[in-house]
Amino acid sequence: MLREEKIHITTEFIKLDALLKFACAVETGGEAKQVIQDGEVLVNGETCTMRGKKMRPGDTAELGGVRIVVA
């Protein structure tokens, strides 16, 4: 079962690697880079290997049983 966490942003977008760090899904930027490059992150239900992917409100990212919703 996925645990869902909402992250509220005040900008137009947040980059995927920064989102993972902000949501505490990873501890460091290096760890974020690695899990993204290894194809472990799903963005809107599809594997994403672009760490600079612009995440906008309504987008979701999944990693290790956690779904992060950008609000």
Side-chain angles (χ1 to χ4, degrees):
M1 185 171 147
L2 288 176
R3 178 174 59 90
E4 188 169 290
E5 186 169 333
K6 286 190 178 184
I7 299 296
H8 296 274
I9 62 172
T10 58
T11 56
E12 181 184 344
F13 65 86
I14 184 171
K15 291 185 179 179
L16 178 57
D17 58 349
L19 176 68
L20 294 177
K21 286 193 329 185
F22 189 70
C24 297
V26 296
E27 292 184 13
T28 65
E31 185 181 352
K33 177 182 176 180
Q34 194 63 53
V35 296
I36 294 167
Q37 285 182 341
D38 290 348
E40 297 178 34
V41 180
L42 298 179
V43 172
N44 298 325
E46 296 183 9
T47 301
C48 180
T49 57
M50 300 181 301
R51 72 176 193 207
K53 170 81 173 150
K54 293 178 180 177
M55 303 292 289
R56 292 182 164 83
D59 286 338
T60 63
E62 293 179 27
L63 173 66
V66 178
R67 174 182 289 137
I68 304 161
V69 179
V70 181

